[in-house]
Amino acid sequence: MEIVVRPTHISDAKALSELYSQPKAQRETLQLPLSSEAMWVKRLESMPEGVYSFVAEIDGRVVGNIGFEHAQRPRISHCGSFGLGVHDDFHGLGVASRLIETVIDLADNWLQIKRLQLEVNCDNEAAIACYKKFGFEIEGKAILSCFRDGEYSDTYYMARVKP
């Protein structure tokens, strides 16, 4: 099984709507449930400067997405952040790892980014383990920072600083 990562196209809007409508994707990302294809088209058509989006495909099917933002303000232009989602049927197959590898390559080798950062739900042990595999460390905890399933939850701030 080959995982192909490529830039996101506007024609991926329907697949992204489906991906982020999955129960795990709804719970573990900051996307709202049941997003429309039209919302994704609008988002992809109007991506601001410094924002990059990639999808992961298996057998031509979009199974993952990562959005990466390179900070544009001069004093933090050495920083980048990302969020990602994987279709519920494709967890544990290395999709997230391939997407993270893509962003790390872009950050380290092309954009001169020294610090990559993210937020992750404190109870998302699989994602935390994946991020740690790439050198991300927990820097702090944000109490009641995310609202999901009708209640507030905590998130960790994680970062990877390039030596």
Side-chain angles (χ1 to χ4, degrees), residues 54 85 95 106 108 111 132 150 154-155:
F54 301 94
V95 174
L106 182 63
D108 288 357
L111 296 176
K132 285 183 175 180
D154 302 339
T155 56

Side-chain angles (χ1 to χ4, degrees), residues 8-25:
T8 307
H9 303 143
I10 293 172
S11 60
D12 296 321
K14 183 175 182 177
L16 293 174
S17 175
E18 179 189 335
L19 187 156
Y20 287 108
S21 294
Q22 300 296 305
K24 285 182 189 174

Side-chain angles (χ1 to χ4, degrees), residues 32-53:
L32 288 175
L34 306 174
S35 59
S36 69
E37 182 178 349
M39 185 278 306
W40 279 103
V41 167
K42 183 177 179 181
R43 182 180 285 183
L44 293 170
E45 286 178 335
S46 60
M47 288 200 325
E49 185 177 347
V51 174
Y52 306 86
S53 181

Side-chain angles (χ1 to χ4, degrees), residues 3-12 15 53-57 60-62 64-66 98-99 102:
I3 300 169
V4 175
V5 176
R6 63 165 175 78
T8 307
H9 303 143
I10 293 172
S11 60
D12 296 321
S53 181
F54 301 94
V55 294
E57 291 182 330
R61 180 178 177 189
V62 172
N65 169 246
I66 192 165
R98 286 285 293 119
L99 290 165
T102 300

